Amino acid sequence: MSNRRSFLRLGAGLAAGGLAAGLPAVATAAPATRWDEEVDVLVIGSGFAGLSSALNAKRQGLGKVLVLEKMQVIGGNSAINGGWFAVPKNPIQLAQGIQDDSPAELVKDQMISGRGMADEAMLTQIAEHALGAYHMCVDAGVEFRKNFNIQVGGHNKARAIRTKHGTGGDITTKLYEAGKQEGVEYRLQHYIEDFILNSEGEVEGVVVRRGYRFPDQKTGSLVRIKANKAVICASGGFTRNMALRAAVDPSLDPTLDGTNHLGATGEVMLAAMAHGALPVHLNMIQTGHWGSPDEGGFGWSNALLSIGWHEGISVSVLSGKRYMNERADRLTCSTAIMKNRHQDGTPAYPLVLFNYNDHPDDDRVVRALRDEMAWKVDSLEQLAEKFNVPLAELKQTLAQWNAQVTKRTDPDFGRKMDTAVKLKPPFVVSRIWPKVHYCMGGLKTDMGGRVLDCRTMQPIKKLYGAGEVTGGVHGHARLSSTSCLECLTMGMIVPKTIKADA
Amino acid sequence: MKRVLISLGLMLALCNTAQAGDLVKVKGATKGRTNHQFIYEEGCKTCHQGSARKYVDDSACIDCHGNINDIEVTRELVLEEANPHKSIHFNQGASCLACHAEHQTKAPVCSECHRTWFDEM
């Protein structure tokens, strides 16, 4: 791949110098002056950032807009996420009587969670566009839950709204359809091989593998597409690229599954970096300790454990004992959970259990049991047999726990016991293992979304970035419901920049 | 097109034992769907325009079956929202190939997360 990349770049340079005719005949190395197709704005990726960029590029009158998506479905992570969207001063919030929120209040919260590493000017710009992004969605037909606006982790105000079905798909499908109606063209199964730059270092277009079938790099055929005004990278994060993940953050255990779609592998970001784009904060990768190994993606586990962490306990299948404060923070719990291993190093998924009879009709329980990512067991004996836990120790753990609940104290782990409940069968039991969730790092852009060259700190001409592929915005940790916000608003800002630059 | 639809009708009328869509050996090592048998008799070019090795996009499926939102799902759904042809995640933005394959079994894209709802297509 690197050979072909450098060859293409060499080819582009030579072609500009008029020497292309002297090149050996290699299938992938057509002269840079020969294009298969020409558009004005080319968008890479079709999640929130890509869809918003494409729609707004069209609305800015930038001409022919083409969105390329490598997978067989539109939407990337955005299509499968939880559908949370932070909007200060949203109509539902105002109707709830919350008058004291503002973009600045949101930024204040984000600066705290960013731990000194977030970009205040960028976050401010994004927050100030929040209401505009909300209206863009509503106008496109997106339905949000009626009268639903709540305070989510790390926010000081209730300002997070949620889509009707609780998934970002409610937004991506509508933005896609709006774009289609307004003349945006979308193509699936188009994998970006490389950018083509001219001798002045300006991005002219891309080499694309058309008809690509993920994840087989040999599928499809190469075509070259020219982009007259801009190439927008909106290709998402890289949590599914195991080698890169391990290289930038070795503390992320390779056994960790992810909440992301399988295509979140980061090659567009890497191609941009190969042409000089500045990477920032690549090692800042967020994990959630609320994952279940018995379902894919984000799943139901997080919701189920909102009962489990409070009312129940987590036990090791190896010892039959508790091993952590179930209510500690993400990092503390993740670390404790991952110490549960068989002798060969493979995960010994710990269990979380709570009383079935306290929640038989709760949505979280019904869904989890239906989809077999949690089980109802009628006795400790049955539990021990099903999950291969030492029974005597398990019995002792339960007896000890119930005694602690009476006294409202946890001498072993110092857990806050206000919500703790005495355990008795039947139980709801699930298995847990942390999951990798979000890349805070990526390509460094300026305020307008221009991708910066690490050698000059100046924009790489005609190369723009929006969404999770960019980095340095949130700093150390991102707050829930702010990625949707960032992606949609940067998709409004970048086309304005392109118009100004053109 | 009419001819294709007539043969499709005949095919469905005649096929009592095999479920429409079962994967069987059709030619050499190539497998195919029983409900497409009439297509194989006419050669690969019905779908692979020009060459059997050429990439086939959704138009080959849509010509006979219609657009994704128009195709009724006949099997019982786990819940109303779990309709893969009117998916709340993708709706029109899904290729047929995300869930279906002609020559091999394929795990549908939904099963990446909803592992107990959707099996091989």
Side-chain angles (χ1 to χ4, degrees), chain B residues 40-91:
Chain B
Y40 289 101
E41 281 157 20
E42 294 177 7
C44 311
K45 288 181 183 175
T46 310
C47 299
H48 297 264
Q49 304 289 316
S51 154
R53 289 183 190 283
K54 233 173 159 187
Y55 160 65
V56 174
D57 66 19
D58 283 359
S59 61
C61 318
I62 292 169
D63 276 352
C64 297
H65 296 278
N67 285 305
I68 182 167
N69 287 174
D70 302 329
I71 303 169
E72 292 285 329
V73 174
T74 48
R75 68 166 72 184
E76 202 181 319
L77 298 172
V78 176
L79 67 166
E80 203 188 323
E81 281 90 1
N83 183 341
H85 285 172
K86 291 188 180 70
S87 157
I88 56 175
H89 299 293
F90 312 119
N91 198 30

Side-chain angles (χ1 to χ4, degrees), chain A residues 72-74 79-80 165 167 169-170 172-173 176-177 180 188-189 211 257 262 293 295-297 300 370-372, chain B residues 55-58 78-79 81 87-95 97-99 106 109 112-117:
Chain A
Q72 290 173 329
V73 289
I74 292 284
I80 57 171
H165 295 102
T167 169
D170 281 345
T172 53
T173 54
Y176 167 74
E177 284 150 27
K180 231 173 155 182
L188 299 168
Q189 292 183 255
D257 192 4
L262 302 180
E295 60 182 352
W300 308 128
R370 179 195 68 200
D371 293 345
E372 292 169 26
Chain B
Y55 160 65
V56 174
D57 66 19
D58 283 359
V78 176
L79 67 166
E81 281 90 1
S87 157
I88 56 175
H89 299 293
F90 312 119
N91 198 30
Q92 298 170 28
S95 163
L97 303 172
C99 298
K106 170 157 186 167
V109 65
E112 282 170 23
C113 298
H114 305 288
R115 287 179 189 165
T116 51
W117 294 1

Side-chain angles (χ1 to χ4, degrees), chain A residues 19 73 143 217 228 346 359 448:
Chain A
L19 295 170
V73 289
E143 290 181 73
Q217 292 306 125
N228 292 325
T346 56
H359 305 276

Side-chain angles (χ1 to χ4, degrees), chain A residues 287-289 324 329-339 434:
Chain A
T287 60
H289 66 293
M324 68 172 185
D329 67 28
R330 283 182 174 181
L331 186 58
T332 308
C333 288
S334 282
T335 309
I337 293 167
M338 285 192 288
K339 281 188 183 145

